[in-house]
Each structure stands twice: as structure tokens, then as C-alpha cells.
Amino acid sequence: LHAGFDLGSRTRLKLTGALANQDAQNPGSLTANEVLQDRRMANTRNVETGAGKESIQAQGAATLLHETGAGTLTAVAYGLVRDLKNPLSYAYIDVFRRAGGARLSLQNETGRLTWAAGADLGYMADERLNWNNVAGEPGDELALDQFETVLNTAVFATGTISVTERLSLMAGLRGDRIRFDMEDHFMEDGDQSGDRLFTAWSPSVGASYRLENTLVFANFSTAFETPTTTELVNRPDSLQGFNSDLEPQRTKGVELGIRGGLPGARLRYDVALYRLDVSNGIISFQDENQREYFRNTGKTLHRGLEVALQWQAMEPVELLASYTGSWLTLQEAPFENNQVPGVPRHRLYG
């Protein structure tokens, strides 16, 4: 659902909404030998336990844009509710989620300077139950009962200044404070209630230089990614509460690129090279029962090439092609020089 309304000459309201109903089976993963035998087979344990996912989710958002003397004021509010039934090979997970948030920002262009500043607020609450899995249905053995909340507050600001008609410089800064809280309602192994607090400042800078039909750009940026609640609650020691050993992953990256067009050939192109140095990267691992947990890997190096082409062959026909090359490797023993799993090295789209 999408709708828009003019509330005056300087004010516009946008509404969006969505409803999704999912019912999916989970075939699980295969060993290298199983792939050689039959790459279409499903994991035997996943079949026996009816592993899969059933969920219904409703979400909506409202965006208000208002032109003021100081610039364009944008206010956004959103909400989401989700009911999830998730039989896995090791447990039957039942999660009821409520989430919402708001953003307020102001953007303006003053002479050679374009700037924006604002604040974010996000909240999520999960009621989580874990049962034993009996052929895809919850059994009578409750293993986990907890109430998890996440509160994210953030401020941000960006600015771009045109130094000359061709050269522009950009800088940005974002500060995040993310708090995870958990109330343990399953007391058979003691009260495991607790909290985790993560904070970070994430700066970025960049420059671009415009030629006749081409833009050359270079950026340096940082990123901060906390574990999710799912990653925090799946503890290798099988206790309740949050994994106190799992830390956020942090990234420093550089990007060099060129984009533009060849009007005579009706061709547009976009090419970028990047390098990301990631510390405390979060990856998954499995125990002997194929239960998935998460840990930090130390340092990983991500190098990549992205190419996109758009050709207007004739008035009604447009051809698109893109290629992504990803060389992602772990940098610390005992996984040094191993490829980061789950990311294809080459991806082509046309």
C-alpha cells in the first residue's frame, strides 16, 4: 500500500503499509560429500524435525515533508508486528515481535553548502519461547522463556561543499547508542537476566571531481554493526541470557570509483573498487547437533569490484548488466586466508 496527500503548498504526507504471510521449509546445509552425492537433497535431520518457518507480519509508516525557511523538515514514524513459528533441527522457537521508531531530519542547501542533520529512535521487543521440537511441533519441554528489548538512539549530520564547479568535498558523522535488555522468565537454571550496551561514533569523508560526462569519486567510511538479538541469545553454553563474549563488528573502508556516460553510444557506466578492513567479524558455527551459534572471527579483509552498464539499444529497448567480484578472506589464525563463507566470489546479472 502506497498513498500520498498534499496537505498544503509546502506539506506532503506519504503513507506505506505491507502485510506478509510466510510458510517456508528449511532444507538445511550439506557437507561437501553430500553435495557430491546429490546436491538437491535436504539435510536429513531437518526433514525429520520439519524444520521451517511460518510467520505473519504487518508494518506501516508515515512520512511528513514540510518546507520551512530553514530547509526541508522530514518526520518519519513506523511500526511493525510479527508472529513467528520456527521449528528448527534442535528446537521449536516461538517469537512475537513488536517494533517501531521515528526519524526527524532537516536538510538545506545554502550557497555552495548542502547539509542535513537529524536523530533516530528505534525500539524492538521480542517475547521468545523455545520448546523441544517433536516432528515440527512444540513439545512439552520448555527450555527458554524470555523478554528481549532493544533501544537504539542516534544522531547524525552530513555536509557537502562545492569547492569549485568541479570539485566537491563531503563529511558525515553518526553516533549510536544501542542497549539490549533481557528479562529471564525461566528460572530452572537461575535468573540469567542481563543487558548489553554498545556505543560508537562513525565518521566518513569523501571527494568527487566532475568532468564533462564523468564523475570521479573517493570515499573513506566507518561502520558499526552490533550482534542481533538472535545472535546474542544463541549461547554455546546453552544457558539463558545474552552471550557476553560476542562483540560488535567494526569496519573501516575506502572506495574509488567512476561513473558517467557516453552520450554518443547511449551508454552509462558505474565502476567502483573497494577495500574494507573488518574487525570482530560475526560468523556462525555449528555444534555436533547442528545448532547454530555465533562468534567473532578477529580480522577479515574484503576487497571488491563492482561494474554496472546501461545501454539504450533503441528507444523501446534497454539492456542492463552488472558484475560484482568479492574477495573476502579471514586474516587471523587458525582461519587465515580462508574465504568468508556464504558470499559468492563472482556474481553476474543481466
Side-chain angles (χ1 to χ4, degrees):
L1 169 67
H2 297 271
F5 307 92
D6 289 322
L7 304 181
S9 60
R10 297 187 300 169
T11 306
R12 182 166 178 78
L13 175 65
K14 298 179 181 180
L15 300 176
T16 61
L19 179 66
N21 190 2
Q22 180 185 32
D23 186 357
Q25 294 177 313
N26 180 359
S29 57
L30 302 177
T31 65
N33 287 334
E34 289 171 335
V35 171
L36 293 176
Q37 294 173 21
D38 180 6
R39 66 184 307 113
R40 294 179 176 271
M41 68 186 294
N43 183 287
T44 303
R45 185 170 176 81
N46 280 41
V47 174
E48 294 172 349
T49 56
K53 180 183 295 184
E54 294 182 20
S55 69
I56 183 167
Q57 177 172 307
Q59 62 191 66
T63 302
L64 185 69
L65 297 98
H66 180 64
E67 297 296 335
T68 72
T72 302
L73 182 66
T74 303
V76 181
Y78 61 91
L80 174 149
V81 61
R82 185 183 196 197
D83 189 14
L84 169 68
K85 312 297 182 185
N86 189 196
L88 296 172
S89 59
Y90 56 85
Y92 185 99
I93 298 175
D94 186 338
V95 178
F96 182 68
R97 170 170 295 172
R98 290 155 293 175
R103 164 176 283 204
L104 186 66
S105 64
L106 183 66
Q107 182 176 351
N108 198 0
E109 183 174 348
T110 306
R112 294 173 175 243
L113 177 65
T114 300
W115 58 268
D120 282 330
L121 175 67
Y123 177 78
M124 185 176 74
D126 286 354
E127 298 177 28
R128 185 184 300 268
L129 298 171
N130 284 14
W131 306 84
N132 60 314
N133 184 345
V134 181
E137 298 294 333
D140 55 3
E141 299 176 9
L142 181 64
L144 183 146
D145 181 357
Q146 58 194 39
F147 181 64
E148 308 153 5
T149 61
V150 186
L151 179 63
N152 179 201
T153 54
V155 292
F156 60 88
T158 63
T160 301
I161 186 169
S162 299
V163 180
T164 67
E165 291 185 356
R166 295 181 180 273
L167 177 64
S168 295
L169 302 178
M170 180 275 293
L173 181 64
R174 179 181 174 92
D176 279 282
R177 184 182 189 275
I178 305 176
R179 181 182 176 91
F180 292 77
D181 282 282
M182 194 277 289
E183 298 176 8
D184 188 4
H185 299 158
F186 184 79
M187 299 299 175
E188 292 189 10
D189 57 356
D191 187 355
Q192 306 294 330
S193 299
D195 60 78
R196 299 288 308 273
L197 178 63
F198 306 112
T199 60
W201 288 99
S202 304
S204 61
V205 293
S208 64
Y209 191 82
R210 184 172 296 279
L211 303 174
E212 184 176 356
N213 295 306
T214 302
L215 182 71
V216 181
F217 58 91
N219 298 310
F220 169 80
S221 60
T222 60
F224 161 75
E225 184 177 348
T226 72
T228 66
T229 52
T230 299
E231 292 166 347
L232 284 172
V233 300
N234 285 349
R235 295 178 54 167
D237 54 16
S238 298
L239 296 176
Q240 322 307 315
F242 290 142
N243 185 346
S244 60
D245 296 325
L246 196 59
E247 296 296 329
Q249 69 177 34
R250 301 173 188 265
T251 303
K252 297 178 180 178
V254 293
E255 177 188 34
L256 300 173
I258 182 171
R259 69 170 64 100
L262 302 174
R266 293 177 293 186
L267 177 69
R268 295 195 60 80
Y269 58 86
D270 193 333
V271 181
L273 290 166
Y274 69 86
R275 173 189 169 120
L276 305 176
D277 289 282
V278 182
S279 59
N280 288 333
I282 299 173
I283 65 169
S284 63
F285 68 99
Q286 293 180 336
D287 63 10
E288 63 276 6
N289 296 318
Q290 298 184 355
R291 180 165 183 174
E292 192 172 41
Y293 303 100
F294 300 87
R295 63 186 172 198
N296 297 110
T297 61
K299 295 182 179 180
T300 60
L301 175 61
H302 298 190
R303 291 169 293 178
L305 167 66
E306 298 175 340
V307 180
L309 300 175
Q310 177 182 340
W311 180 44
Q312 192 77 40
M314 57 185 71
E315 186 60 33
V317 178
E318 184 177 75
L319 301 181
L320 306 173
S322 65
Y323 165 78
T324 302
S326 303
W327 291 268
L328 283 58
T329 55
L330 304 172
Q331 297 295 294
E332 293 190 1
F335 309 111
E336 189 173 4
N337 296 323
N338 282 6
Q339 184 176 347
V340 174
V343 181
R345 182 158 288 181
H346 305 284
R347 177 180 292 164
L348 183 65
Y349 166 83

